[in-house]
Amino acid sequence: RPSRSPVARSRPETGVLAVVASREQDVSSSHGVKQHRLHGRRRGNPPAFAKHPRDELGQPPGSRTRRATSFRREAMISQLFILSPRGDVIINKQFRLDVPVKITTEVFFRTVKFWKDGDKAPAVFSEDGVNYVHVKVAGLFVAATTRKNVSPSLVLELLHRVAKVIKDYCGVLSEDALRKNSILAYELIDEMLDHGYAQTTDTETLKQRVFNEPIHATEDVGKSSVGGATPKKYGFFSASVGQFGSGAPTSAKRSAVNRSVIAAPQGPDESSGGRNEIFVDVVEKLNVTFASDGSQVSSEIDGSIQVRNFLHDRPTIKLALNEELAIGGRDLGAFGGPGRYQGYSAGGGMAVLLDDCNFHESADLSQFDVDRTISMTPPAGEFALMNYRAAGEFDPPFRLQTVIDDGTPYRLQVTLVLKAEFPARNTCTGLQVKFPVPRNCVNAHPTLEQGSAGSGQQHAAYTQADRAVVWQFKKVKGQGEHVLTINVSFPDEASARASKKECGPATLSFTIPTYNASRLQVRYLQIGGGPTGGG
């Protein structure tokens, strides 16, 4: 074949493998993504197996070529749709006509809603020869279908990035926002995906190709995009867990944060697009297991530094973390070994120890090992600057002690003692404690401690559908203690004693502004010139 490239002359299949590798990396990198129609293009007549994915791919001779072509055929999705929590179709985009279009959304929602034994449906499953891959973001189901054996992790990352881009352009990701901006959402999906293949998920790159203006919409109450969880609303309080604009005195207003990256400026004081702002927040998810006596069995922190960028002209920023920050085994020697999660440094200060971390692809880490600073030109919209994990022992903000008494026939008495161990100057909002009860119970009656029910700060109720008691707080101050008693009734005495081990485990969801268990802090943020803040 005529070619002026010495690499292509010596190994003709090298170009094919490069095309396959580049397509797989399009989703994992949101900067510098090349268009597929430029890949595999050589001087002279291109080979039959290097056609654009929009064409019907031929079957070239040779075993390596067949494997590469088979991978290209399978690395695609046939359909992408977004459903409301009730199963209503909000967005439905068809790329290939190889799946039953009219029934896939119904089959998906019915399967997820009524999974086997009442458990939570997995992120990837197959029904009637169709593979379903989905994520749940802000209460909405973002799903893709295909008949091919695609990489699940690749499609899951793609769905997360599609949801993130739509949120950047609509301001918020909610049912109301998607219905008002459906034309904009379809335009974004058309630019991000071509015939089921990922093209680019970079918010800044898409600005040059998107021409529809967003319509302002409000965020749904009780919805959250942290970890894909969607706290439900039981009783009187909404257990919303938010990262930006959580209502703390030092937090930004939601109207300033939840705006589109392409909103037209309406003045220097307008929060809908005119102000030159950037928001940085440290969000942590705690996984702690307590014994029945309240002692800590295992603990882990999954955290991230979230950034929402609305700066004009893309300036360079510099962000500084704790100076006494140790990451992995290579830094623990300076603080006397692993030990507890927070060790003491040579200077007497409290050190922050992390097991591992990763950074955004645009972060410049040339000075990170020297003074713990990160330089970058931030992309537009929301992104995770840093993800980190710590599995050492730390002091959790809450401790929950459970006592179960089976002395009364036909009944189990469960006592939950909740202790808030974070500082008294902090206030927890939207605390929700969910305690599952045995499936064969007749009823569960929760009773609050005396003096708490009339204050309006607590509410507890038993939900038959979830088979769980939900204990909610409007606000919880640090160093406080609260007690809840649950009387669980059973049809016979033998069932009560046999079901004792089926109680729990309890799960807690909450938000504590200006507090994080890892003690990781942003010392200052410098935009072009001097620092703009600290703490």
Side-chain angles (χ1 to χ4, degrees), residues 53 190 287 343 389:
D190 285 335
N287 298 311
R389 183 182 63 88

Side-chain angles (χ1 to χ4, degrees), residues 296-519:
Q296 189 171 330
V297 178
S298 63
S299 57
E300 185 181 42
I301 297 177
D302 290 326
S304 64
I305 300 178
Q306 296 288 335
V307 179
R308 287 208 82 177
N309 176 31
F310 300 100
L311 296 176
H312 305 163
D313 302 327
R314 301 194 64 184
T316 301
I317 67 172
K318 185 177 182 181
L319 185 140
L321 303 179
N322 305 57
E323 292 182 349
E324 296 168 339
L325 172 64
I327 301 175
R330 63 186 181 92
D331 294 332
L332 294 182
F335 301 101
R340 280 177 54 83
Y341 179 70
Q342 286 95 2
Y344 287 92
S345 65
M350 187 71 73
V352 179
L353 310 181
L354 305 180
D355 287 349
D356 54 63
C357 64
N358 59 70
F359 300 87
H360 193 265
E361 53 263 26
S362 61
D364 181 9
L365 305 176
S366 58
Q367 297 295 321
F368 185 76
D369 290 335
V370 179
D371 54 4
R372 297 308 187 196
T373 58
I374 306 172
S375 301
M376 66 181 305
T377 301
E382 183 178 350
F383 64 94
L385 174 60
M386 175 183 175
N387 297 303
Y388 58 91
R389 183 182 63 88
E393 184 181 355
F394 62 92
D395 296 327
F398 290 98
R399 286 190 181 273
L400 184 64
Q401 182 178 357
T402 306
V403 179
I404 302 178
D405 182 13
D406 58 352
T408 305
Y410 305 99
R411 180 180 298 178
L412 290 177
Q413 187 179 55
V414 183
T415 303
L416 302 180
V417 181
L418 181 67
K419 299 179 181 180
E421 299 192 345
F422 53 92
R425 65 178 181 271
N426 296 101
T427 302
C428 172
T429 59
L431 171 62
Q432 175 180 292
V433 182
K434 188 175 182 179
F435 186 81
V437 296
R439 295 179 179 274
N440 60 342
C441 73
V442 177
N443 192 14
H445 180 67
T447 304
L448 295 170
E449 59 181 339
Q450 295 182 358
S452 297
S455 62
Q457 298 295 319
Q458 300 182 45
H459 176 75
Y462 170 65
T463 56
Q464 183 72 23
D466 296 338
R467 291 284 182 177
V469 174
V470 179
W471 186 15
Q472 288 184 305
F473 295 81
K474 190 175 182 179
K475 288 183 179 180
V476 178
K477 293 186 177 181
Q479 304 300 316
E481 182 175 328
H482 305 274
V483 180
L484 176 68
T485 303
I486 307 173
N487 292 315
V488 186
S489 303
F490 293 89
D492 53 72
E493 185 175 356
S495 300
R497 295 182 178 179
S499 304
K500 184 177 180 180
K501 295 183 178 180
E502 297 182 14
C503 295
T507 57
L508 283 74
S509 60
F510 54 88
T511 299
I512 307 179
T514 68
Y515 174 84
N516 56 338
S518 67
R519 302 189 182 182

Side-chain angles (χ1 to χ4, degrees), residues 1-10 12 41-45:
R1 299 184 179 120
S3 176
R4 299 182 182 179
S5 173
V7 178
R9 242 190 338 263
S10 58
R41 190 179 288 273
R42 301 177 181 174
R43 297 183 181 275
N45 296 325

Side-chain angles (χ1 to χ4, degrees), residues 6-339:
V7 178
R9 242 190 338 263
S10 58
R11 295 187 64 183
E13 72 276 10
T14 304
V16 181
L17 298 181
V19 173
V20 174
S22 62
R23 265 202 194 98
E24 189 174 10
Q25 295 170 0
D26 273 343
V27 178
S28 62
S29 175
S30 62
H31 293 273
V33 181
K34 298 180 180 179
Q35 295 301 306
H36 290 171
R37 54 178 58 91
L38 301 180
H39 290 170
R41 190 179 288 273
R42 301 177 181 174
R43 297 183 181 275
N45 296 325
F49 52 83
K51 291 182 180 179
H52 189 272
R54 191 188 298 274
D55 302 330
E56 284 296 324
L57 300 177
Q59 184 67 26
S63 59
R64 292 184 179 180
T65 304
R66 281 195 296 270
R67 285 197 296 269
T69 306
S70 176
F71 180 86
R72 291 180 60 194
R73 284 181 173 179
E74 295 174 354
M76 61 183 176
I77 61 176
S78 302
Q79 179 188 17
L80 188 146
F81 55 87
I82 301 178
L83 304 183
S84 69
R86 304 177 305 276
D88 300 331
V89 180
I90 306 175
I91 300 295
N92 191 353
K93 178 64 177 178
Q94 308 294 329
F95 300 105
R96 308 177 67 87
L97 301 178
D98 57 349
V99 295
V101 177
K102 295 183 179 180
I103 65 172
T104 48
T105 56
E106 298 178 3
V107 171
F108 166 79
F109 185 74
R110 185 171 60 251
T111 304
V112 171
K113 197 70 174 178
F114 306 101
W115 191 253
K116 305 172 184 176
D117 299 330
D119 295 333
K120 184 179 179 180
V124 182
F125 59 88
S126 180
E127 288 289 336
D128 299 328
V130 179
N131 300 320
Y132 295 86
V133 186
H134 80 284
V135 296
K136 195 173 183 180
V137 184
L140 303 177
F141 294 98
V142 185
T145 62
T146 180
R147 288 190 179 274
K148 304 298 181 181
N149 187 20
V150 299
S151 171
S153 59
L154 180 70
V155 180
L156 288 173
E157 178 66 19
L158 173 62
L159 295 179
H160 276 293
R161 298 215 175 201
V162 168
K164 176 252 180 190
V165 170
I166 294 178
K167 180 181 178 181
D168 287 343
Y169 279 81
C170 295
V172 295
L173 186 61
S174 63
E175 181 178 355
D176 180 55
L178 283 176
R179 293 193 183 280
K180 290 182 177 179
N181 298 276
S182 59
I183 299 177
L184 176 60
Y186 278 110
E187 186 180 11
L188 289 170
I189 295 174
D190 285 335
E191 296 295 338
M192 288 186 287
L193 295 166
D194 185 6
H195 208 57
Y197 291 93
Q199 300 293 310
T200 179
T201 56
D202 181 23
T203 302
E204 193 68 29
T205 303
L206 291 170
K207 280 186 177 181
Q208 305 173 3
R209 309 171 187 174
V210 175
F211 302 98
N212 282 283
E213 292 292 335
I215 301 175
H216 177 70
T218 58
E219 189 176 11
D220 291 346
V221 177
K223 303 302 179 186
S224 170
S225 59
V226 180
T230 307
K232 295 182 180 180
K233 186 175 181 180
Y234 299 94
F236 304 105
F237 311 128
S238 174
S240 60
V241 183
Q243 55 192 49
F244 295 104
S246 55
T250 57
S251 300
K253 295 181 179 179
R254 286 189 178 272
S255 59
V257 179
N258 296 333
R259 68 175 191 259
S260 173
V261 295
I262 58 173
Q266 299 178 5
D269 297 330
E270 294 291 333
S271 61
S272 60
R275 303 187 65 176
N276 197 24
E277 297 175 325
I278 186 171
F279 302 91
V280 182
D281 201 358
V282 179
V283 183
E284 293 184 345
K285 180 181 179 181
L286 310 181
N287 298 311
V288 185
T289 303
F290 297 103
S292 58
D293 58 353
S295 60
Q296 189 171 330
V297 178
S298 63
S299 57
E300 185 181 42
I301 297 177
D302 290 326
S304 64
I305 300 178
Q306 296 288 335
V307 179
R308 287 208 82 177
N309 176 31
F310 300 100
L311 296 176
H312 305 163
D313 302 327
R314 301 194 64 184
T316 301
I317 67 172
K318 185 177 182 181
L319 185 140
L321 303 179
N322 305 57
E323 292 182 349
E324 296 168 339
L325 172 64
I327 301 175
R330 63 186 181 92
D331 294 332
L332 294 182
F335 301 101

